[in-house]
Amino acid sequence: MKKYVCTACNYVYDPEVGSPETGVPAGTPWEDVPADWTCPLCGLGKEAFEVME
């Protein structure tokens, strides 16, 4: 699965790990992360993330 990085603070969303601190369980694909989810470090929304190359 692809990882996604916040362009503001460089937090990496790894679908294999999820985001337990924000209630997103391990194994959750990016497409299934809620639309109102925000970065646990800087608080920006999913629109601030891009696919890691």
Side-chain angles (χ1 to χ4, degrees):
M1 286 193 241
K2 294 179 181 176
K3 296 178 184 178
Y4 294 79
V5 62
C6 179
T7 58
C9 72
N10 294 319
Y11 172 83
V12 174
Y13 178 79
D14 181 347
E16 291 183 11
V17 176
S19 179
E21 63 272 273
T22 61
V24 179
T28 303
W30 181 248
E31 297 76 22
D32 294 341
V33 173
D36 62 350
W37 179 83
T38 57
C39 177
L41 295 184
C42 71
L44 292 179
K46 286 179 72 174
E47 68 280 350
F49 284 73
E50 60 185 30
V51 176
M52 287 184 75
E53 297 294 328

